Amino acid sequence: MKILITTVFDYPHAGGLSTHVTTLKAGLEARGHEVDVLSISDAPGWQKKFYARGPSFVLNKVKKGKGIIWSRKARQNMLHKLIVENKSKNYDIINAQDAFATFASLESGIPTVSTVHGYMAFEAVSSGSVVEGSEEAKLLQEMEKKAYSSTRKVITVDQRIKDYVKKQTGVDGTAIRNFIDIHDFQPATDKKAELRKKH
């Protein structure tokens, strides 16, 4: 199969989503699939600055939360454009790694499944980007529901997120716990005493 993995976040970056994508890509390729990744990192820097970051900064000064929604939608539009530009590669399926990547991917007409890594609306509130109970928080929750209800299949990285998706949308996802690359992660068990003394 020809598989495209998409995200509106930077890739690669330091963090769980990036590690997940890298390991997933390697695992799928080891099974003989062709895998590409498209992320906001593939968009020109000036576009990110002028269409996403700049307006987001200004809008957040007007009302907290407006900026994050503007930024995510702008990233969605940029990602959609990148997907369309790569449509000639004839991908069989897209695995979107966030709600806004799901929207960008669905717009392409390519069959899309979505991986849910967290609680988008709740995380925006807890980070202070959005005010709890605000229109913006409610809109993010509605967008989560729409994304998970529109995609062909929902995959979650743990059981708690699977339960969250079911509670929020009624969609029954499949939990596939986060994984590690067993070829990269090989504990030096023969050096256990030496490592304990050193660290």
Side-chain angles (χ1 to χ4, degrees), residues 6-79:
T6 61
T7 179
V8 297
F9 299 107
D10 287 312
Y11 175 81
H13 70 275
L17 187 145
S18 188
T19 302
H20 177 94
V21 168
T22 300
T23 310
L24 176 62
K25 182 179 188 304
L28 290 169
E29 287 173 339
R31 291 176 170 256
H33 301 289
E34 290 180 47
V35 184
D36 291 330
V37 178
L38 275 179
S39 75
I40 200 64
S41 298
D42 296 302
W46 66 269
Q47 277 187 10
K48 291 184 280 188
K49 185 175 183 180
F50 291 108
Y51 292 131
R53 291 187 193 126
S56 174
F57 178 79
V58 172
L59 285 167
N60 270 334
K61 295 291 183 189
V62 175
K63 185 179 181 194
K64 189 179 248 188
K66 284 204 175 290
I68 191 172
I69 291 170
W70 174 277
S71 176
R72 298 281 172 88
K73 286 185 177 180
R75 288 165 175 253
Q76 172 189 327
N77 293 335
M78 285 185 267
L79 181 61

Side-chain angles (χ1 to χ4, degrees), residues 145-193:
K145 290 177 188 176
K146 184 177 177 186
Y148 307 151
S149 300
S150 302
T151 191
R152 287 190 176 209
K153 186 70 180 171
V154 171
I155 301 162
T156 65
V157 297
D158 64 35
Q159 185 63 42
R160 286 182 305 167
I161 297 172
K162 177 183 175 179
D163 295 342
Y164 167 78
V165 170
K166 178 74 173 175
K167 181 180 176 185
Q168 296 296 316
T169 66
V171 173
D172 201 8
T174 301
I176 301 175
R177 287 173 173 71
N178 273 323
F179 35 76
I180 61 165
D181 184 339
I182 59 169
H183 302 292
D184 279 350
F185 182 73
Q186 296 179 356
T189 53
D190 57 323
K191 297 181 180 178
K192 190 186 264 185

Side-chain angles (χ1 to χ4, degrees), residues 63-66 121 124-125 128-138:
K63 185 179 181 194
K64 189 179 248 188
K66 284 204 175 290
V125 168
S129 300
V130 176
V131 176
E132 186 173 5
S134 66
E135 290 175 27
E136 292 74 23
K138 290 173 187 171

